[in-house]
Amino acid sequence: MTTSNIKPKPLIGEDDQQLQRIETLHQQLKAEQARAQELLAKLKSEDVQPPKTLLKEYHKHPKRLEKQTGGKKRMDIGIPEMKAEEREIRELEARVSGLEGKVRGFEGLPPDRELALTEVEKMRKELVVLARRRDEMLEGLVDGDQ
């Protein structure tokens, strides 16, 4: 047997296509980089500046936060501290809810304490009358059955 000197040809077309794609992508990246550098230069120029009112508001914000926190800076707060504060807030919400329930019990009463006490006493007397009437009606039902 004789060995032939036939060697398979490499697929040059595919390599060329891949190389061409890479070149195209490289050119597109260069163009994008140039646009990004132009935009960065434009943003750094004095032509693009935020409105003065926005700057004033930006500088007021930290001062407002400082007033709200009593001058304490809260930048070092972590997850455990946040969870503790959340727990405290939930406890306060529960307490407020309970107090609101108590306040609802006083709805309809006059704002003056003396007038409110008079109204409560009047309602107590009415309750006693209604309770007697109920008892009388129950007694009438029981006596009627016998």
Side-chain angles (χ1 to χ4, degrees):
M1 285 198 148
T2 62
T3 58
S4 71
N5 288 340
I6 301 175
K7 294 181 182 175
K9 291 184 180 178
L11 299 173
I12 295 175
E14 286 181 19
D15 289 342
D16 287 340
Q17 285 177 349
Q18 285 182 349
L19 187 60
Q20 197 173 26
R21 283 187 203 128
I22 290 172
E23 266 308 309
T24 303
L25 288 172
H26 187 254
Q27 293 302 323
Q28 289 173 349
L29 283 173
K30 279 185 177 179
E32 190 63 33
Q33 180 186 17
R35 281 192 294 269
Q37 285 177 338
E38 286 176 23
L39 180 62
L40 181 63
K42 183 179 177 183
L43 290 173
K44 284 183 177 180
S45 74
E46 291 182 21
D47 296 341
V48 179
Q49 292 296 321
K52 294 197 183 279
T53 56
L54 184 61
L55 284 173
K56 286 179 185 176
E57 187 63 31
Y58 173 77
H59 290 295
K60 283 181 186 177
H61 186 68
K63 292 176 185 174
R64 190 177 325 138
L65 281 176
E66 193 172 310
K67 286 180 184 176
Q68 290 174 349
T69 60
K72 301 174 198 167
K73 293 194 177 184
R74 306 279 304 207
M75 297 302 210
D76 59 343
I77 192 166
I79 292 175
E81 291 86 1
M82 288 177 70
K83 284 184 177 181
E85 282 191 27
E86 184 179 3
R87 195 175 322 110
E88 287 176 27
I89 289 170
R90 285 191 180 140
E91 289 170 0
L92 284 173
E93 286 174 343
R95 183 173 175 214
V96 166
S97 179
L99 291 173
E100 285 175 344
K102 286 182 178 180
V103 168
R104 273 187 239 112
F106 294 100
E107 284 180 1
L109 291 175
D112 181 51
R113 185 174 187 263
E114 294 301 318
L115 290 174
L117 289 173
T118 305
E119 185 72 22
V120 168
E121 192 58 39
K122 179 181 163 187
M123 291 294 166
R124 280 191 186 136
K125 287 178 183 178
E126 187 178 331
L127 179 63
V128 169
V129 169
L130 289 172
R132 277 191 205 136
R133 190 168 155 202
R134 179 200 64 203
D135 292 343
E136 289 171 1
M137 292 173 86
L138 285 174
E139 286 177 15
L141 286 174
V142 171
D143 289 343
D145 286 342
Q146 292 177 352

